[in-house]
């Protein structure tokens, strides 16, 4: 079952030939999405799954700010995602204990030497097995639905097809250290509550309540509109301090599986495997 689930998730997010966006389509970490389905939410807000049909955006004071439709199960032949993933490493939790914490540290890269309107996303993330969803603390260069430009910024994103949610981006600078963490805050047999944030950057916290279990962890480079090697940052990005913990207190046995895009000059290196103090490098000069 878990091998099939892994194949499904990789199929959902394998690099695709992306259709040209139309006027009502805007860029997200799930590709170009209809603007009506993309929502900026306040920091410390909660996305509350209500049954299987709705998500409510709830403010920190408890006020319901918005109600939208929730994701439905998908299969590989009917993937709703368009993805610019070009290099990543992944691990699927075989269970039965859920992932309780997934942390990653990395440094904001230099600004690319050329600016051709490209967008670069760098993140750690976790997805569920059978719904088109992903929770991720994201570093972004270039434009997206969240804004952006010729600078780096961070935000937390939750994609739950057909909707995409993001916290207000916070600008950051090359050389800054980022600590992205996704935490299971509580759970039952049928629902799971999570928090995603950059622990060292205020205003980036995002809470998810009543979601499906998140099982597929990744360290990812996702890009759109790259036309030259100089559109990437110089050198490499090192995801370090990678730590995965399970709710039962055990440390899982983790073997990262990498995906490269050598044709685009990008590769992934597993420097230190495992669930404790792992290290994965995205090389822009493959």
């Amino acid at each position: 079952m878990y091998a099939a689930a892994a194949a499904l998730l990789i199929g959902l997010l394998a690099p695709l030939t992306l259709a040209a966006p139309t006027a009502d389509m805007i860029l997200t970490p799930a590709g170009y999405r209809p603007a009506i389905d993309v929502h900026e939410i306040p920091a410390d807000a909660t996305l509350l799954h209500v049954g299987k049909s709705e998500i409510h955006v709830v403010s920190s004071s408890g006020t319901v700010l918005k109600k939208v439709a929730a994701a439905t199960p998908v299969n590989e032949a009917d993937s709703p995602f368009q993805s610019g993933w070009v290099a990543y490493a992944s691990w699927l939790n075989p269970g039965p204990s859920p992932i309780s914490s997934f942390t990653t540290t990395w440094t904001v890269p230099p600004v690319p030497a050329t600016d051709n309107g490209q967008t670069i996303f760098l993140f750690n993330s976790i997805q569920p097995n059978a719904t088109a969803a992903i929770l991720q603390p994201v570093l972004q260069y270039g434009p997206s639905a969240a804004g952006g430009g010729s600078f780096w910024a961070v935000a937390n994103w939750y994609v739950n097809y057909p909707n995409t949610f993001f916290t207000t981006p916070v600008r950051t600078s090359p050389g800054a250290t980022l600590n992205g963490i996704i935490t299971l805050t509580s759970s039952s047999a049928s629902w799971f509550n999570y928090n995603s944030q950059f622990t060292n950057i205020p205003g980036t916290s995002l809470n998810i309540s009543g979601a499906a279990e998140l099982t597929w962890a990744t360290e990812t480079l996702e890009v759109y509109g790259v036309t030259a090697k100089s559109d990437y940052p110089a050198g490499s990005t090192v995801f370090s301090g990678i730590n995965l913990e399970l709710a039962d207190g055990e440390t899982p046995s983790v073997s990262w599986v990498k995906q490269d895009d050598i044709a685009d000059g990008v590769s992934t290196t597993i420097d230190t495997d495992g669930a404790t103090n792992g290290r994965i490098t995205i090389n822009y000069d493959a």
Side-chain angles (χ1 to χ4, degrees), residues 242-267:
I242 299 171
N243 291 286
L244 282 153
E245 299 176 1
L246 301 180
D248 62 6
E250 296 295 320
T251 299
S253 176
V254 171
S255 181
W256 293 96
V257 177
K258 71 172 186 174
Q259 177 69 42
D260 296 320
D261 190 356
I262 301 299
D264 284 342
V266 181
S267 67

Side-chain angles (χ1 to χ4, degrees), residues 5 24 34 40 54 69 73 82 96 125 132 134 137 153 171 176 182 188 205 216-217 226 242 244 248 252 264 273:
D24 64 343
E40 182 174 4
E54 284 190 335
Q82 292 183 317
S125 67
I134 184 171
R171 287 185 66 158
I182 301 169
S188 73
S205 179
W216 195 59
V226 169
I242 299 171
L244 282 153
D248 62 6
D264 284 342
D273 212 349

Side-chain angles (χ1 to χ4, degrees), residues 99 102 124-128 133-136 182 214-218:
I99 297 170
F102 177 28
N124 57 318
S125 67
I126 322 183
Q127 298 173 242
I134 184 171
L135 180 60
Q136 52 198 146
I182 301 169
L214 302 178
T215 57
W216 195 59
T218 81

Side-chain angles (χ1 to χ4, degrees), residues 214-250:
L214 302 178
T215 57
W216 195 59
T218 81
E219 305 282 357
T220 301
L221 165 69
E222 178 179 5
V223 302
Y224 300 87
V226 169
T227 59
K229 194 169 187 177
S230 56
D231 288 349
Y232 287 112
S236 62
T237 294
V238 178
F239 293 112
S240 64
I242 299 171
N243 291 286
L244 282 153
E245 299 176 1
L246 301 180
D248 62 6
E250 296 295 320

